[in-house]
Amino acid sequence: MKWLVVVVAVGILVADVYCADDTIPWCYHNASCNDLTWPVIATEFCNGTRQSPINIVTTDVAMNDSLTDFAFTNFNNPNILTDMTNTGKTVKVNFASGVQISGGGLPEAYDSLQFHLHWGNGSTVPGSEHTVNGVQFPMEFHIVSIKSSFNGNTTLAVNDSIGAAALGFLIEVLPNTTDEPASWKTLTDYLENITLAGQTVNLTAGLSLDDLLPGVDRTQYYRYLGSLTTPNCFEAVVWTVFKDTVKISSNLIDKFSTMLHIGNETSSEIMVNVFRRVQPAQPVTTRSSGSDDDDDSSDATRTCLSLGLLVLSLVLGWSY
Ligand SMILES: *[C@@H]1O[C@H](CO)[C@@H](O)[C@H](O)[C@H]1NC(C)=O
Ligand SMILES: *[C@@H]1O[C@H](CO)[C@@H](O)[C@H](O)[C@H]1NC(C)=O
Ligand SMILES: *[C@@H]1O[C@H](CO)[C@@H](O)[C@H](O)[C@H]1NC(C)=O
Ligand SMILES: *[C@@H]1O[C@H](CO)[C@@H](O)[C@H](O)[C@H]1NC(C)=O
Ligand SMILES: *[C@@H]1O[C@H](CO)[C@@H](O)[C@H](O)[C@H]1NC(C)=O
Ligand SMILES: *[C@@H]1O[C@H](CO)[C@@H](O)[C@H](O)[C@H]1NC(C)=O
Ligand SMILES: *[C@@H]1O[C@H](CO)[C@@H](O)[C@H](O)[C@H]1NC(C)=O
Ligand SMILES: *[C@@H]1O[C@H](CO)[C@@H](O)[C@H](O)[C@H]1NC(C)=O
Ligand SMILES: *[C@@H]1O[C@H](CO)[C@@H](O)[C@H](O)[C@H]1NC(C)=O
Ligand SMILES: *[C@@H]1O[C@H](CO)[C@@H](O)[C@H](O)[C@H]1NC(C)=O
Ligand SMILES: [Zn+2]
């Protein structure tokens, strides 16, 4: 696996160069650059007509029985979460190559690249992006994937109306507990290593995506066509928002809104309320019923080149 390490490092170097070029100074915390300004400061495409997130009104959801079960490849692999970064806008965890989703009414397999989170201000001030019947949840967990046929090329993905697939899991409080589940305790223990924007910590093997979704029913979900929820808000995303939630202790939720800075100095503001407000409604579908089949087959054949592109794409700044 040495080649993997080298290519990841190269991808990160390239990313540093690229980030210096990131010209749209969008933010969450300041009225001069927050989400209300994005349609103006990032005209294309934050001013569009199929923007995310949205409020899902359950009584308006139509049935579509073509929305079958997903297959989650390498979600059970404890070696694929490589590193965690404070981007100044979120906490992002990059994946090694070989993580995929398919099925779920998607036209082909999609390569999963990273997950990141959105939150409010502690477990009592909610910060999910999607809302359900007007209810905002404490946090939201996003897994970002792009069509496998694009071989990691995000330029191609954002130019395709269904080039990307995002899985959204709403997070709520697991009452009367501390430090549960253990997987989220492990994950949030790394936050102390990335308190400043730009810091990255390597993750030790042992934690899988399945571990972070304990007991979550992944057969029942809402589906709509939308966008990235950060500039440039490309209208290229097939959204899947799961009906079941991830439940974690309030003290772990609180860590996100108390430990991280939006800048690279300890004097910079604490990272809170990192979510976009809901956008105009879109047609939402679901299927009437489902089974519990999971297919965690393993398929990890991939070239150094495509891994490099994947890693590069992670840091090109889209879907923070
Ligand atoms: C993190 O991992 C990368 C690639 O695997 C490696 O190059 C780097 O030295 C590691 N950093 C630390 C601080 O261990
Ligand atoms: C918001 O941004 C403006 C313009 O950059 C700046 O003058 C102001 O101090 C900022 N306010 C806060 C609360 O960060
Ligand atoms: C958004 O802005 C772009 C660039 O200014 C413009 O071409 C487009 O028509 C706008 N879209 C909408 C829906 O206003
Ligand atoms: C139902 O889902 C399938 C698979 O995603 C999709 O191709 C089709 O357009 C959907 N039909 C409606 C009416 O949304
Ligand atoms: C977040 O919550 C803390 C603790 O309640 C409070 O001191 C702080 O002002 C809040 N920040 C924002 C931006 O609301
Ligand atoms: C992605 O695809 C576009 C369009 O084909 C191409 O111009 C670009 O060079 C590709 N990017 C990478 C990193 O290969
Ligand atoms: C983007 O998509 C349009 C229409 O599908 C196509 O004409 C154009 O070549 C694509 N651009 C890139 C960079 O792939
Ligand atoms: C559990 O938590 C709920 C809500 O926070 C609270 O109302 C209840 O009293 C708690 N129960 C126990 C046994 O602590
Ligand atoms: C994270 O920070 C803690 C406390 O500073 C330190 O003990 C630990 O070694 C760091 N972990 C990594 C992986 O850097
Ligand atoms: C901290 O951020 C500032 C402005 O964003 C940048 O100029 C500086 O190089 C950064 N310092 C470090 C140590 O990353
Ligand atoms: Zn997101």
Side-chain angles (χ1 to χ4, degrees):
M1 281 278 155
K2 200 161 223 160
W3 57 269
L4 193 151
V5 167
V6 171
V7 177
V8 168
V10 169
I12 289 167
L13 286 178
V14 175
D16 281 345
V17 174
Y18 182 87
C19 289
D21 255 22
D22 194 354
T23 45
I24 298 174
W26 64 275
C27 71
Y28 291 111
H29 70 289
N30 184 323
S32 70
C33 51
N34 73 13
D35 60 335
L36 299 178
T37 72
W38 299 351
V40 179
I41 66 174
T43 310
E44 272 188 308
F45 298 86
C46 300
N47 67 344
T49 55
R50 56 168 262 201
Q51 289 289 294
S52 294
I54 60 167
N55 176 41
I56 296 166
V57 179
T58 53
T59 52
D60 292 348
V61 174
M63 296 300 169
N64 182 347
D65 284 326
S66 300
L67 300 176
T68 52
D69 283 354
F70 282 97
F72 299 97
T73 302
N74 271 319
F75 272 50
N76 61 354
N77 186 326
N79 301 300
I80 54 96
L81 304 182
T82 57
D83 56 82
M84 178 193 272
T85 299
N86 174 344
T87 70
K89 307 288 201 306
T90 187
V91 166
K92 182 172 65 167
V93 171
N94 291 324
F95 304 162
S97 64
V99 187
Q100 280 195 337
I101 59 171
S102 59
L106 299 174
E108 62 171 82
Y110 284 63
D111 292 328
S112 303
L113 309 178
Q114 50 111 325
F115 76 72
H116 61 269
L117 295 130
H118 299 270
W119 60 87
N121 191 3
S123 53
T124 55
V125 180
S128 71
E129 296 212 297
H130 291 93
T131 60
V132 180
N133 298 329
V135 175
Q136 190 178 23
F137 289 71
M139 295 184 69
E140 189 165 331
F141 178 75
H142 286 163
I143 297 175
V144 180
S145 310
I146 67 170
K147 279 184 178 175
S148 294
S149 56
F150 292 150
N151 258 319
N153 187 324
T154 55
T155 307
L156 292 174
V158 298
N159 190 46
D160 177 330
S161 69
I162 53 170
L167 306 183
F169 293 91
L170 299 163
I171 295 176
E172 59 185 342
V173 173
L174 184 62
N176 305 324
T177 63
T178 302
D179 290 340
E180 285 183 33
S183 56
W184 281 84
K185 166 80 167 91
T186 301
L187 186 80
T188 54
D189 276 347
Y190 287 104
L191 295 179
E192 69 175 338
N193 301 89
I194 55 163
T195 58
L196 301 182
Q199 291 181 329
T200 295
V201 62
N202 289 342
L203 303 191
T204 305
L207 195 59
S208 70
L209 285 167
D210 283 344
D211 292 337
L212 294 171
L213 301 168
V216 177
D217 178 356
R218 284 179 248 162
T219 68
Q220 299 298 317
Y221 56 86
Y222 301 109
R223 166 62 47 81
Y224 77 98
L225 300 181
S227 74
L228 303 188
T229 65
T230 58
N232 291 336
C233 311
F234 294 105
E235 296 185 329
V237 183
V238 181
W239 270 101
T240 301
V241 178
F242 290 87
K243 297 182 183 180
D244 200 5
T245 58
V246 182
K247 295 166 189 70
I248 70 182
S249 297
S250 60
N251 73 304
L252 299 183
I253 292 175
D254 290 346
K255 284 191 183 188
F256 288 93
S257 56
T258 55
M259 297 180 63
L260 307 168
H261 294 272
I262 65 172
N264 61 14
E265 290 167 354
T266 51
S267 59
S268 64
E269 279 183 54
I270 295 289
M271 196 186 300
V272 296
N273 299 325
V274 284
F275 62 90
R276 187 188 195 188
R277 274 162 268 214
V278 293
Q279 304 295 306
Q282 302 296 333
V284 180
T285 55
T286 189
R287 75 170 145 173
S288 27
S289 65
S291 68
D292 260 83
D293 291 338
D294 259 20
D295 175 13
D296 260 9
S297 57
S298 185
D299 163 14
T301 315
R302 201 154 276 286
T303 66
C304 288
L305 178 59
S306 78
L307 177 64
L309 294 175
L310 283 175
V311 171
L312 177 57
S313 70
L314 299 176
V315 268
L316 284 182
W318 61 287
S319 192
Y320 276 131

